[in-house]
Amino acid sequence: MKRAIFGLFNRLRFNQKLFLSYLTVIIIPILVLGLYAYNQSKQMLNYQAFQGIDKNVNTISESINNSIERYNHTIRTIVFNKTFQKIVANDYIDLVNLSGDLNNYLSPYFIMMMNLDKEIEKITFYTQSNVPEYGDSIVSYKRVESEPWYSETVQGSETQWFYDKGLFVTAKFPKFFSERNTNIVYMRINDKSFFKSVTDMSKDYGIVIADAQNRIIFANQSAMQTSILDAREMMGLREGMVKIGLTEMFLVKKTVPQTNWTMYCFVPSGQVSPNAGTIINATLIMILACIVSLLVIISIFSKTMIRRIFRLNAMMKRVELGELNLRVQSSSRDEIGELTNRFGNMLIRLNELIEESFRSKIVQKEAEMKALQRQINPHFLYNTLSFINWKALKSDAHDISHVVTSMSKFYRTALNRGNNIISVRDELENIKSYVEIIQVMGEYSFDVVYEIDAAVYEYSTINLILQPLAENAIKHGINQMTSRRGLLQVSACLAHGTVEFAIEDNGPGMSQETIDTILTMQSVGYGLNNVNERLQLRFGAEYGISIQSRIGHGTVMTIVIPQYMNVS
């Protein structure tokens, strides 16, 4: 049954298979609707949870504000008390009256206040006047003038709250007439008692209270036990749903009125609505069911259609990378099968044409080379040149002897005993002999410079590749100059696994159009096109001749070949 189904499917046309594939796409809207429902449900639950947290935080903030207001009222009754103002200003004629107010009024008043409110731990006047110190009740400002809170209180205008090894509130006494001294009242409050209401109302929440400098004033037990409590990191986050570490949190920020405090409340999202996952779970189950169904259908189609397309594409990539000996064939009757078989037949025919063309090119080039070499009888040529050299020496014609010697070296390296492969050393000797002959014939009308890296001598190349370049440089470059002396530069070096030759002249240069066509022109004789084809046939298409030229500055012709050693 399974084979019959797959066989029937293989016999379908590609458009029919494509139609069946599109039918499966109707499942996608279900997935989209499921995701939409999931996101909407999640957003609604998060909104409701955030509103609940925000309401509770407002209640906590109001509780703190009420406590602050109570102590602000208490400290204002102190600073506006006429007797206290008189004491800190030292507005006394004698010490008897001062002592009476201290013993009979100030001390009993402080004791009464601390008995009525057990959260008040200490009340102290810090004065800049010359009133004598009186226990912990009246102290010289010099004892605390270096404290940051003291300077902030002196510069401020209202009651100010601080946390420095404990919670305390400060306020300045008003100044009258010519009074220059600044006197303040300091009231320390038990922070555990002060924040007891916060602790009671936030058992399930993490609460952190910080001042304007982000110094932590209070952190409840939930905050202290939470491993993600990095106060500075949390204070830099925006209000709403945040992620601290690996935990998603609801973060609510509230400014406490009458102070510069900010309250941060954070609650893990799973703790707020643990029973709200029913809707989300149902949505996820629907989405997963659709996905599983879609994956099953896609896997069935991919076995017969998609995988075959991938396989054909992979074979095409292998061919593109140069692997031309692949065997490509398919037994399927649909369009993909037909395309595969036609590609296989095309590949076979392509291999046949490449092999035929390659062999034809090699035979043609070898025939041309041998025909060129056989035009000259080496023994007859060498004997004739030797006789001319002997006659020139006998007649003291040393210039003629020099030219004949250079010509002998040139033809010896050019003919190379009928071999196409020659050492780089001999190829360079060939071009040196050629240039020497041209210089003598032209009465040394131009200069030549050789920059040869000795490391290139151990490698080999095909012969007669540099002489045509030198001939073109002299003929079309140096010989065309009238305003300055010609210069021919010949260089050879190793670079990144290759041997590079460069023939440079300082002639008039050539246009880009000429450069684009010069290597494709079929010249009579042994021209640049011939040299470039021989190089690419021997070493590959990535090697050969390249030309760079600037009008009025000259031309550089470069040959790049691999570092090839002839082992024969």
Side-chain angles (χ1 to χ4, degrees):
M1 181 65 179
K2 184 177 180 180
R3 290 183 179 179
I5 293 175
F6 281 115
L8 177 62
F9 191 80
N10 285 333
R11 287 192 291 271
L12 293 175
R13 305 300 293 177
F14 182 76
N15 59 342
Q16 294 172 327
K17 296 177 182 178
L18 189 62
F19 174 76
L20 291 176
S21 299
Y22 276 124
L23 288 179
T24 61
V25 179
I26 62 175
I27 300 176
I28 295 178
I30 299 176
L31 180 63
V32 173
L33 290 174
L35 290 174
Y36 177 78
Y38 167 78
N39 288 328
Q40 289 297 313
S41 300
K42 186 176 181 180
Q43 291 178 9
M44 181 60 68
L45 291 173
N46 289 342
Y47 176 78
Q48 293 176 351
F50 185 83
Q51 291 297 317
I53 296 171
D54 186 73
K55 184 177 179 180
N56 292 336
V57 171
N58 278 331
T59 303
I60 296 172
S61 176
E62 290 175 2
S63 174
I64 296 175
N65 189 60
N66 291 336
S67 298
I68 290 173
E69 176 60 30
R70 178 161 54 91
Y71 289 110
N72 284 345
H73 176 74
T74 300
I75 204 167
R76 282 195 293 267
T77 61
I78 294 175
V79 297
F80 289 107
N81 185 292
K82 297 298 182 181
T83 303
F84 291 156
Q85 291 175 2
K86 182 179 179 182
I87 291 173
V88 296
N90 196 14
D91 189 15
Y92 291 91
I93 299 176
D94 53 45
L95 295 177
V96 175
N97 293 328
L98 172 62
S99 177
D101 284 344
L102 293 176
N103 293 323
N104 300 324
Y105 189 82
L106 185 141
S107 294
Y109 189 89
F110 282 5
I111 293 172
M112 177 192 68
M113 290 183 64
M114 288 186 285
N115 285 332
L116 291 175
D117 193 335
K118 298 297 183 181
E119 295 179 7
I120 300 175
E121 295 179 338
K122 180 181 178 182
I123 302 175
T124 303
F125 294 160
Y126 290 100
T127 176
Q128 294 182 357
S129 65
N130 57 359
V131 63
E133 291 188 346
Y134 181 70
D136 288 336
S137 299
I138 300 178
V139 180
S140 173
Y141 79 99
K142 293 183 179 180
R143 297 182 182 273
V144 294
E145 64 177 340
S146 61
E147 298 290 338
W149 63 264
Y150 180 79
S151 59
E152 291 182 28
T153 302
V154 171
Q155 296 172 4
S157 58
E158 300 290 337
T159 57
Q160 299 188 52
W161 288 78
F162 300 94
Y163 189 88
D164 184 9
K165 299 179 182 179
L167 183 66
F168 57 92
V169 59
T170 62
K172 290 190 300 184
F173 281 93
K175 295 181 180 180
F176 300 99
F177 303 107
S178 61
E179 177 70 30
R180 295 183 179 180
N181 295 328
T182 300
N183 306 303
I184 68 171
V185 59
Y186 169 99
M187 185 166 64
R188 180 178 292 276
I189 301 169
N190 186 292
D191 51 349
K192 292 184 178 179
S193 300
F194 182 87
F195 291 113
K196 186 176 184 303
S197 61
V198 180
T199 304
D200 294 340
M201 289 188 289
S202 62
K203 293 181 180 179
D204 297 330
Y205 297 167
I207 298 291
V208 175
I209 300 176
D211 62 12
Q213 288 74 37
N214 288 338
R215 294 173 297 196
I216 296 178
I217 296 174
F218 170 79
N220 67 352
Q221 192 66 24
S222 297
M224 298 299 294
Q225 292 178 351
T226 304
S227 60
I228 52 80
L229 181 57
D230 185 339
R232 297 195 181 277
E233 177 185 356
M234 180 181 62
M235 293 171 189
L237 298 176
R238 292 184 177 182
E239 190 177 50
M241 179 68 74
V242 298
K243 191 171 186 179
I244 306 177
L246 299 176
T247 307
E248 285 191 346
M249 298 274 183
F250 288 101
L251 176 61
V252 177
K253 298 182 181 180
K254 289 293 180 183
T255 300
V256 179
Q258 304 187 61
T259 67
N260 56 1
W261 296 350
T262 303
M263 182 166 56
Y264 302 87
C265 176
F266 58 94
V267 186
S269 59
Q271 181 178 330
V272 176
S273 53
N275 298 323
T278 305
I279 299 176
I280 297 176
N281 291 337
T283 304
L284 291 177
I285 291 173
M286 292 178 59
I287 293 174
L288 290 175
C290 293
I291 292 175
V292 169
S293 301
L294 186 60
L295 289 176
V296 170
I297 297 174
I298 290 175
S299 64
I300 294 174
F301 288 128
S302 65
K303 290 179 182 179
T304 57
M305 182 179 64
I306 303 300
R307 289 183 182 179
R308 292 192 298 129
I309 294 176
F310 288 163
R311 190 181 301 115
L312 178 59
N313 186 45
M315 288 187 290
M316 288 182 174
K317 287 182 179 179
R318 291 168 63 184
V319 172
E320 183 181 3
L321 294 174
E323 192 175 347
L324 301 177
N325 296 323
L326 287 177
R327 182 72 174 174
V328 181
Q329 190 174 4
S330 174
S331 59
S332 178
R333 298 180 182 179
D334 61 8
E335 285 84 349
I336 298 177
E338 292 178 2
L339 182 62
T340 303
N341 290 329
R342 288 176 181 174
F343 176 70
N345 295 334
M346 181 184 66
L347 190 58
I348 293 172
R349 181 57 181 161
L350 179 63
N351 284 322
E352 293 174 352
L353 292 175
I354 290 174
E355 186 175 359
E356 180 181 346
S357 176
F358 185 73
R359 274 187 264 182
S360 175
K361 283 283 186 182
I362 292 179
V363 171
Q364 178 184 351
K365 292 302 175 182
E366 289 180 351
E368 290 177 357
M369 190 64 187
K370 289 179 180 180
L372 181 64
Q373 292 173 339
R374 288 172 183 172
Q375 290 178 4
I376 304 173
N377 188 318
H379 297 289
F380 175 75
L381 177 63
Y382 294 154
N383 291 337
T384 302
L385 293 176
S386 296
F387 176 76
I388 295 172
N389 184 44
W390 176 74
K391 282 289 187 179
L393 293 174
K394 189 174 181 180
S395 302
D396 290 332
H398 295 286
D399 290 343
I400 297 175
S401 175
H402 182 63
V403 172
V404 171
T405 302
S406 298
M407 183 174 293
S408 177
K409 289 182 180 179
F410 173 77
Y411 279 107
R412 177 182 60 79
T413 54
L415 296 175
N416 195 31
R417 299 179 181 179
N419 294 325
N420 289 333
I421 302 301
I422 189 173
S423 68
V424 172
R425 182 190 296 275
D426 287 344
E427 182 66 14
L428 291 169
E429 286 295 326
N430 177 266
I431 190 176
K432 288 180 181 179
S433 300
Y434 172 78
V435 172
E436 183 67 23
I437 294 171
I438 298 300
Q439 281 189 301
V440 172
M441 294 174 61
E443 298 181 351
Y444 293 93
S445 61
F446 65 91
D447 298 323
V448 61
V449 176
Y450 296 97
E451 296 179 356
I452 309 300
D453 184 355
V456 303
Y457 290 148
E458 61 179 300
Y459 298 101
S460 302
T461 181
I462 58 177
N463 64 338
L464 290 178
I465 60 173
L466 297 179
Q467 184 273 332
L469 273 66
E471 180 180 352
N472 277 272
I474 295 170
K475 181 178 179 180
H476 301 291
I478 293 174
N479 289 347
Q480 304 300 319
M481 294 173 53
T482 58
S483 60
R484 61 181 183 275
R485 185 173 176 80
L487 175 62
L488 181 70
Q489 299 183 59
V490 181
S491 61
C493 63
L494 301 181
H496 306 295
T498 63
V499 180
E500 293 187 2
F501 304 96
I503 309 295
E504 181 177 357
D505 66 76
N506 63 341
M510 63 181 76
S511 65
Q512 186 62 43
E513 182 179 357
T514 304
I515 294 175
D516 293 338
T517 59
I518 191 171
L519 294 179
T520 60
M521 293 172 58
Q522 296 293 336
S523 60
V524 178
Y526 207 67
L528 299 184
N529 176 263
N530 190 294
V531 173
N532 196 49
E533 286 186 354
R534 290 177 61 226
L535 287 169
Q536 292 184 345
L537 282 173
R538 170 63 64 176
F539 299 118
E542 65 270 27
Y543 301 102
I545 302 175
S546 61
I547 301 175
Q548 293 180 339
S549 183
R550 292 176 60 193
I551 299 296
H553 291 81
T555 302
V556 180
M557 292 180 284
T558 305
I559 291 179
V560 179
I561 64 172
Q563 294 179 1
Y564 171 76
M565 291 185 180
N566 185 23
V567 296
S568 59

